[in-house]
Amino acid sequence: MVQWPCILKLEGDSELIFLASEQALSSELDGLIFSSSDCLIDGLGQTYQVKSCRPGYTLESRDRMLSLDCVTELIQEHQFAHAEVCLTKIQFTSIAEAINSIVVL
């Protein structure tokens, strides 16, 4: 079961999309062309593949958990693209805290 909030990592892009709920994901996907390489990361670090189906989409677990260090690195890359925060100051105590920082940072 997906633990919200989540982030959506699009293939080939350092930008992360914060998603507070499944409804937010659905709204985001309505206007987005997504691929099988895109990755939804939940608050526990579990990864999911977003698959298109008619109508809508499904989430398929990739059976891959990301560590806090890995999620922190993704957020550092995201922030580097915006050049707004000193990357060495980006530290978290949990994956959920890291995901929630996308809204705050």
Side-chain angles (χ1 to χ4, degrees):
M1 174 174 259
V2 177
Q3 297 296 308
W4 300 95
C6 298
I7 50 176
L8 183 61
K9 169 74 172 94
L10 302 177
E11 177 187 26
D13 192 349
S14 59
E15 181 78 20
L16 300 172
I17 301 169
F18 175 82
L19 302 163
S21 64
E22 189 166 1
Q23 182 180 7
L25 173 63
S26 182
S27 295
E28 188 69 40
L29 293 178
D30 281 344
L32 187 67
I33 298 172
F34 55 95
S35 77
S36 60
S37 298
D38 297 338
C39 181
L40 183 76
I41 304 163
D42 79 3
L44 298 176
Q46 179 62 48
T47 60
Y48 298 87
Q49 179 180 7
V50 181
K51 291 190 167 191
S52 181
C53 67
R54 298 288 179 234
Y57 66 91
T58 61
L59 297 175
E60 184 175 295
S61 176
R62 289 187 170 172
D63 293 323
R64 180 172 179 234
M65 294 287 288
L66 298 182
S67 67
L68 177 57
D69 289 341
C70 184
V71 174
T72 299
E73 187 175 303
L74 290 174
I75 291 170
Q76 287 173 334
E77 291 172 10
H78 170 83
Q79 292 303 330
F80 181 75
H82 292 275
E84 296 175 354
V85 176
C86 177
L87 299 182
T88 59
K89 293 183 179 181
I90 298 175
Q91 302 292 320
F92 306 104
T93 58
S94 71
I95 292 171
E97 179 185 15
I99 290 171
N100 280 311
S101 78
I102 296 296
V103 175
V104 176
L105 291 177

